[in-house]
Amino acid sequence: MAGIQHSSSMKDVGDALLSFAGQFGTTNILAGIIPPPSASRREQLSHVLLDRWPAEWTDRYFSNGYLYRDPTIRLVAQGSRPFSWRDLGSLGELWPGARRVMDEAAEFGLREGLTFSFLTIERQRVGLSIAGEKLELPPGEQDAFLLVAAYAFGKAVILAEENRQTGSVGLSPRQNDVLQWASLGLSVEAIADRLGISSHTADSHLRAARERLGVQNTVHAVAEAFRLGLIA
């Protein structure tokens, strides 16, 4: 809890929570507010606050509209108690496309997972998932972990709001340009072509943007820039 409390960025919060959850076999974490069904890809991304998911999987997930096929999201939206992905059973038959989402997630090392659902003060529904090749979180530990997870998410919300109000994060015009194009799903090569620069230069601008925003991958950089109003 101390590591989360003293975090100065959302990246720090994610690192602290992942370090804590690692004792249970967790290698990846994702948490965000559940967006409305009409939300665009950009809006869906802007609802993600803690992102330690494989970047390639995140990109595929949001590009293919998996949010609305994902059985974990469906259960979170219904206010389910914490549940193991092992218990999803035959939901693939109940919800079209659900089994495909979970099978593809396993290809990226997200083979076993636990998902927690809770509400913000504003009564917004939040989903937080931890995953890895093999998880060992005893049932008796789930409620305790939920308290830590909710605290971490609350800290991330506070930091995001502070950044938005103070405008403490700024991007150069070129960093803004590359993120604008990345938000539309363009590859580094396609962005370079649009801007008339080399792929190496485009990649350098994306790396610099990620560093300024304190995130680890381009998908999350787009989400954070969108949330902060740096891109539209």
Side-chain angles (χ1 to χ4, degrees), residues 155-218:
K155 180 69 173 181
V157 169
I158 290 171
L159 291 171
E161 182 62 19
E162 288 177 351
N163 285 339
R164 188 187 68 80
Q165 291 181 350
T166 62
S168 58
V169 178
L171 299 175
S172 71
R174 192 54 98 188
Q175 290 163 5
N176 185 285
D177 287 342
V178 295
L179 280 184
Q180 286 280 7
W181 287 115
S183 73
L184 298 176
L186 271 65
S187 66
V188 171
E189 292 74 16
I191 291 171
D193 184 60
R194 292 293 181 100
L195 297 176
I197 57 179
S198 70
S199 295
H200 175 75
T201 300
D203 188 54
S204 295
H205 288 310
L206 284 171
R207 285 201 306 270
R210 291 195 297 267
E211 290 175 4
R212 287 202 179 189
L213 293 167
V215 298
Q216 293 186 318
N217 61 65
T218 299

Side-chain angles (χ1 to χ4, degrees), residues 16-27 29 130 135 145:
L17 183 57
L18 187 57
S19 176
F20 174 78
Q23 64 184 301
F24 308 116
T26 301
T27 55
I29 291 174
I130 62 175
L135 293 188
F145 182 84

Side-chain angles (χ1 to χ4, degrees), residues 37-140:
S38 59
S40 66
R41 178 179 183 272
R42 287 187 184 183
E43 290 168 332
Q44 291 175 30
L45 285 169
S46 73
H47 282 67
V48 176
L49 280 185
L50 297 177
D51 182 5
R52 288 297 183 280
W53 239 222
E56 187 179 349
W57 169 236
T58 300
D59 186 48
R60 181 192 297 187
Y61 183 95
F62 286 104
S63 295
N64 292 343
Y66 284 174
L67 182 72
Y68 303 118
R69 306 180 200 173
D70 188 338
T72 68
I73 298 299
R74 288 176 178 265
L75 290 174
V76 166
Q78 294 172 7
S80 171
R81 285 189 55 79
F83 58 89
S84 168
W85 293 2
R86 299 172 187 170
D87 300 330
L88 292 176
S90 60
L91 290 181
E93 300 173 8
L94 178 63
W95 295 324
R99 178 49 52 196
R100 175 180 176 181
V101 172
M102 303 310 295
D103 288 345
E104 288 189 29
E107 296 174 12
F108 292 86
L110 309 177
R111 192 168 302 279
E112 293 191 356
L114 287 167
T115 296
F116 302 82
S117 172
F118 53 92
L119 292 172
T120 67
I121 295 176
E122 295 78 17
R123 309 296 294 176
Q124 295 174 302
R125 181 62 61 182
V126 172
L128 186 149
S129 290
I130 62 175
E133 286 288 348
K134 185 173 179 59
L135 293 188
E136 296 294 343
L137 179 59

